[in-house]
Amino acid sequence: MPGSRLEDLARLVDGRVETVDAGLVVSDVTHDSRSVVPGALFVAVVGSTRDGHDHVRQAADLGAVAACVERRLDIDLPQMLVSSTRAAMGPLAAAVHGDPSHHMTVVGVTGTNGKTTVSQYVTAIADHAGLTTGLIGTIETRIAGRVVESVRTTPEASNLQRLLAEMRASGCTLVTTEVSSHALTLGRVRATVFSVAAFTNLSQDHLDFHGTMEDYAAAKESLFTDYQVGTAVINVDDPTGARIAARVEHGLVTIGRDGMARAEDVRPVPEGSVFRMVTPWGSTTVATPVFGRFNVDNVVMAATCALAAGVGWPEVVSSLGNLPGVPGRFEKVSGDDPVTVIVDYAHTPAGIAQAIETARGLGGSRVIVVVGAGGDRDREKRPLMGRAAMAADVVVITSDNPRSEDPARIVDAVASGTGGGARAIIDRREAMRAALETARPGDIVLILGRGHESNQQVGDRSIPFDDRVVAVEELTAMRRSANSGSGTGSMVG
């Protein structure tokens, strides 16, 4: 059982412990009083809506041997006083669990778009090479092939270090984790050592949290300036990436049109893309089952991360022809239907533009887009999302995850960027149905915004709604209608 003396932990974070048994050992660290196990150190984190200090007594009742606090509490429990419990939590958890990131190759991927795809590809490449891998991200968490539910893109510091320790104990030698801007701002990855850190791109998102694009960019940049990173893999075609790269003093591999690693002579083919991959480790022609320039760039970044992490060149190259599809990332859900239907997670103006551009490259007749914006999130990007969607031939604005907001108001905000050129249908299923009924043979219907998500957040309810499942249901209903001779939609031709 891992563990550390409380007094040693206090010295690690410049904390102060008053009158405690010299031999008191902490075997776990948690910030959630409900998950306390005997022997745990409870960290009383002060959040935006809740104060962990109010739950110290509950933690003690469940077996916590001590509490990390910002103010002394009137409770008979050893207490470690620190200036910031949130800042202390990562180092404390890492120490208690034996600094697991020091004993594995950890690849961290940050950026607005592409984190999930790059992380999934890095893991697939490493799996192909025969490594035992761990994956932490938006869609799922995997430990040596075992799937664990993901609660957020990057777990809280106490959960992250416990998870890394479990991965180490399970024999994982390479771990890939998405690193969100929230995680960087809130210190969730503190005390984590990254063998490789990658930056994909930056575009408008999360301003409800960061306030300004400058602060958002600074959060992403901090991964490369405030953490221990072995090799930085950075997209320098992105202005923020170029700025970050200029600050990296050693271990830099640039990605981009003129980067050290790049894709040249990219050609779309029915099965995906063919291109010449150039890297510091070698160059070769690659055929890979991914569509669109932005996905080709994701492949190059993932390959470069894997190479920088020590995966051999032959293993990396041989893996690229069999990369698995990433759930909800430009995922084709139609079969041999006359209309191609694709579901994608694109939920930023830049992501929407990329999805439409990629769809154009597939050679269809028209591109029809179904898109909405999430509630209780960055409001400033909503009109910009509508404007980006107008690159399609037909646009249907609908509800996404409205959360606590009125979905009609969100739809209006997105539609305000379309100049009146879009159709607004609040009910998401009806909007998808309308898009399919509008489609003609050869058209491509893009359903954007939710990707792999299986539930829609409406108020305080979580309603089962998977865009991929619903799209297939609507396609099936239209086929049945056409076969019965009652079809009126133009999709059936």
Side-chain angles (χ1 to χ4, degrees):
M1 174 70 70
S4 301
R5 294 171 66 245
L6 184 64
E7 290 181 324
D8 294 338
L9 293 173
R11 283 192 289 271
L12 179 67
V13 295
D14 295 324
R16 186 177 79 255
V17 178
E18 301 174 358
T19 59
V20 63
D21 294 338
L24 180 61
V25 173
V26 172
S27 59
D28 191 23
V29 174
T30 183
H31 66 287
D32 186 341
S33 60
R34 298 165 298 182
S35 65
V36 167
V37 296
L41 169 67
F42 175 68
V43 183
V45 174
V46 180
S48 58
T49 59
R50 290 187 293 180
D51 186 344
H53 292 77
D54 297 333
H55 302 279
V56 171
R57 191 171 300 278
Q58 178 187 2
D61 291 342
L62 291 173
V65 295
C68 177
V69 296
E70 295 180 6
R71 59 181 185 274
R72 176 73 183 174
L73 301 176
D74 184 17
I75 181 175
D76 185 20
L77 184 72
Q79 295 170 50
M80 177 195 304
L81 283 100
V82 297
S83 58
S84 169
T85 51
R86 177 166 285 284
M89 182 161 54
L92 291 172
V96 167
H97 292 294
D99 292 308
S101 68
H102 294 218
H103 305 282
M104 300 180 291
T105 298
V106 179
V107 179
V109 184
T110 196
T112 304
N113 299 311
K115 294 188 299 296
T116 298
T117 300
V118 171
S119 296
Q120 293 262 343
Y121 286 169
V122 171
T123 303
I125 293 168
D127 287 339
H128 177 85
L131 302 181
T132 302
T133 62
L135 172 66
I136 303 171
T138 304
I139 295 176
E140 64 182 0
T141 293
R142 293 206 303 265
I143 304 173
R146 177 168 57 90
V147 176
V148 180
E149 182 182 1
S150 287
V151 177
R152 49 168 55 98
T153 298
T154 312
E156 276 290 3
S158 59
N159 296 332
L160 174 64
Q161 296 301 328
R162 189 184 307 108
L163 183 57
L164 289 173
E166 185 177 353
M167 290 178 171
R168 181 190 179 195
S170 297
C172 295
T173 56
L174 186 148
V175 174
T176 307
T177 179
E178 297 180 45
V179 183
S180 68
S181 57
H182 289 69
L184 290 162
T185 300
L186 297 173
R188 292 177 189 162
V189 292
R190 282 175 61 89
T192 302
V193 173
F194 295 94
S195 301
V196 181
F199 172 83
T200 60
N201 51 63
L202 189 90
S203 63
Q204 183 167 333
D205 203 7
H206 304 308
L207 296 193
D208 55 306
F209 179 79
H210 294 288
T212 67
M213 285 297 294
E214 290 74 17
D215 287 345
Y216 181 32
K220 298 293 189 184
E221 186 173 350
S222 69
L223 176 59
F224 303 90
T225 56
D226 299 350
Y227 291 84
Q228 185 176 336
V229 172
T231 302
V233 178
I234 300 175
N235 170 21
V236 293
D237 284 345
D238 182 277
T240 298
R243 188 172 69 248
I244 294 172
R247 298 191 60 183
V248 175
E249 297 179 354
H250 59 83
L252 172 67
V253 180
T254 58
I255 304 280
R257 300 299 191 272
D258 297 315
M260 299 160 64
R262 59 191 182 273
E264 297 179 343
D265 304 323
V266 179
R267 293 183 292 110
V269 295
E271 300 79 19
S273 302
V274 174
F275 64 96
R276 181 166 180 78
M277 184 172 72
V278 178
T279 79
W281 292 266
S283 304
T284 191
T285 298
V286 172
T288 188
V290 305
F291 297 91
R293 177 70 201 219
F294 79 97
N295 267 326
V296 167
D297 291 340
N298 286 336
V299 170
V300 173
M301 176 162 283
T304 302
C305 287
L307 290 162
V311 181
W313 172 258
E315 289 77 16
V316 170
V317 172
S318 63
S319 73
L320 301 184
N322 297 291
L323 287 175
V326 180
R329 269 56 176 183
F330 216 78
E331 181 178 355
K332 181 183 175 183
V333 297
S334 51
D336 57 358
D337 302 272
V339 168
T340 299
V341 183
I342 294 170
V343 171
D344 191 73
Y345 192 57
H347 60 281
T348 67
I352 292 167
Q354 285 181 335
I356 295 171
E357 180 183 358
T358 300
R360 293 275 186 214
L362 298 180
S365 300
R366 298 182 303 166
V367 175
I368 299 171
V369 168
V370 179
V371 68
D376 301 332
R377 299 293 186 268
D378 186 354
R379 289 177 167 84
E380 293 183 21
K381 73 176 182 179
R382 293 172 184 173
L384 303 179
M385 293 171 68
R387 187 182 307 166
M390 290 305 292
D393 299 287
V394 179
V395 179
V396 181
I397 308 297
T398 189
S399 181
D400 187 292
N401 289 311
R403 301 184 176 90
S404 71
E405 289 192 67
D406 178 356
R409 290 183 178 273
I410 302 174
V411 168
D412 287 345
V414 177
S416 70
T418 68
R423 185 178 178 186
I425 302 175
I426 296 174
D427 183 273
R428 193 169 180 89
R429 180 183 286 271
E430 290 182 11
M432 292 165 64
R433 183 183 303 139
L436 292 171
E437 290 175 345
T438 301
R440 299 191 293 260
D443 287 348
I444 298 171
V445 176
L446 290 179
I447 301 170
L448 304 180
R450 303 184 64 251
H452 66 284
E453 295 176 356
S454 58
N455 292 288
Q456 191 175 30
Q457 305 300 318
V458 181
D460 58 359
R461 296 177 299 155
S462 182
I463 302 171
F465 195 106
D466 187 318
D467 284 358
R468 299 166 297 177
V469 172
V470 174
V472 170
E473 289 173 350
E474 292 299 321
L475 281 169
T476 301
M478 295 181 76
R479 289 191 211 108
R480 287 173 180 164
S481 178
N483 292 336
S484 68
S486 59
T488 57
S490 56
M491 189 192 83
V492 299

